[in-house]
Amino acid sequence: MKLWKVMLLFILYCIVAAVQAAAKNTELKFVLYYPQVPPYMYQDENTEKVVGLVPELLQDFFNQHHITVHYVADNRTRAEHRLYQGEVDAILLAKEWTQHPEQLLFSEPLLEHQDYLFSRQPLAAKGQLADWVKGKSICTRQYYVYAALTPFFQNQGTVRVDSSSEMAQLKMLLNDRCDFAFMNEHVAYWLMYHHFPDHQLYRSAQGFGPVGLTVAFHPRWIKVLPAFNQYLAKERQQGTIAQWLKFYVTKS
């Protein structure tokens, strides 16, 4: 084979290799939790497409930066470990929930949520948490740590009834297996609207444990984080985040 043909083949090989490397560098693996967390992030039952507030925001931002998002299903605990190891690139995670926050990069909050007590009976508007839960049973998520409730579980005769998901929490509440469900307000409203529209549930006037919902990145994405935070600030200021949240909670 002539030298110029060899050189041409070599150049073509280098171009293909460079294109493949570039494609690999622009792929971001984002964890889709199981159990899933609507309205933030979940698979549509009919299309199996990953939908929700977070995918909408991710898609718009990363499309602008020519980065392809691939969703990887995993549970919460294993996903965090995989993020430390660099096996995935980002997950939906509050800084205060992590084991080693110093090893990750956290975005500014997409939005804030609180946990509330939900009941089948109205709660007094001016009641206190201690008055409501003493001697009662509360449906909770297995393995979750509830700072607001821990003292009552330890000293006030309050019974913790664990379940595998928020869906299970509400089912147990509606079946009188507990007096209250302690839940993220947005997840609870999504479930009530989409799965329990014929049931009347009441929420405590007071919320507990406000948490900023953030995206945790592996440190290799440090150059992307400032632009992502600017994007979130703009979307929040324009009301886009609130609109997407309302849409996915009520489909309106």
Side-chain angles (χ1 to χ4, degrees):
M1 184 179 294
K2 294 183 179 181
L3 180 60
W4 69 269
K5 291 184 177 181
V6 174
M7 293 183 66
L8 179 59
L9 288 173
F10 178 73
I11 292 171
L12 290 174
Y13 171 81
C14 291
I15 292 173
V16 171
V19 170
Q20 290 176 339
K24 183 177 181 181
N25 290 337
T26 57
E27 176 183 307
L28 183 141
K29 294 180 180 178
F30 200 101
V31 172
L32 172 67
Y33 284 139
Y34 184 82
Q36 298 176 31
V37 283
Y40 304 137
M41 196 173 181
Y42 60 103
Q43 274 188 304
D44 183 271
E45 292 182 355
N46 298 319
T47 66
E48 296 187 353
K49 180 182 177 182
V50 179
V51 297
L53 165 68
V54 175
E56 295 290 355
L57 294 174
L58 292 179
Q59 179 176 331
D60 287 346
F61 174 78
F62 287 113
N63 279 349
Q64 294 172 21
H65 289 76
H66 309 290
I67 297 171
T68 301
V69 179
H70 293 288
Y71 293 102
V72 180
D74 212 335
N75 66 47
R76 158 73 178 79
T77 303
R78 189 164 53 233
E80 183 179 343
H81 176 74
R82 293 179 67 187
L83 185 60
Y84 295 133
Q85 301 302 316
E87 296 175 10
V88 295
D89 299 296
I91 60 178
L92 196 63
L93 187 64
K95 187 174 183 177
E96 52 265 47
W97 296 344
T98 58
Q99 295 182 356
H100 306 289
E102 72 283 355
Q103 296 183 25
L104 304 174
L105 302 173
F106 294 88
S107 74
E108 293 297 318
L110 283 71
L111 75 168
E112 185 178 89
H113 67 80
Q114 297 191 75
D115 289 327
Y116 286 83
L117 283 173
F118 289 86
S119 171
R120 298 190 67 182
Q121 305 297 328
L123 290 85
K126 296 183 179 181
Q128 298 296 317
L129 186 59
D131 301 326
W132 290 323
V133 305
K134 185 176 181 179
K136 302 293 185 179
S137 58
I138 304 178
C139 283
T140 53
R141 276 290 304 273
Q142 190 176 20
Y143 306 123
Y144 276 33
V145 176
Y146 298 96
L149 297 178
T150 297
F152 305 106
F153 291 142
Q154 295 174 342
N155 303 313
Q156 299 294 325
T158 304
V159 178
R160 176 171 180 155
V161 184
D162 278 343
S163 60
S164 60
S165 67
E166 283 85 356
M167 172 77 82
Q169 281 181 263
L170 284 189
K171 285 183 177 180
M172 292 167 70
L173 176 64
L174 293 170
N175 289 326
D176 293 323
R177 294 185 59 187
C178 52
D179 298 299
F180 302 105
F182 196 70
M183 297 180 60
N184 173 317
E185 56 185 312
H186 303 141
V187 177
Y189 285 131
W190 185 91
L191 287 168
M192 290 161 61
Y193 187 90
H194 291 271
H195 292 278
F196 306 102
D198 298 326
H199 295 272
Q200 178 67 57
L201 292 176
Y202 300 89
R203 193 195 78 176
S204 59
Q206 179 184 355
F208 308 93
V211 174
L213 191 67
T214 64
V215 175
F217 290 92
H218 186 273
R220 62 173 164 263
W221 292 90
I222 188 170
K223 292 183 179 180
V224 172
L225 187 59
F228 186 61
N229 284 334
Q230 292 177 5
Y231 167 79
L232 291 179
K234 177 183 176 182
E235 296 297 292
R236 192 182 305 108
Q237 184 178 24
Q238 293 179 344
T240 307
I241 293 177
Q243 290 172 7
W244 279 124
L245 179 64
K246 181 178 183 293
F247 172 80
Y248 278 103
V249 169
T250 65
K251 285 295 182 182
S252 64

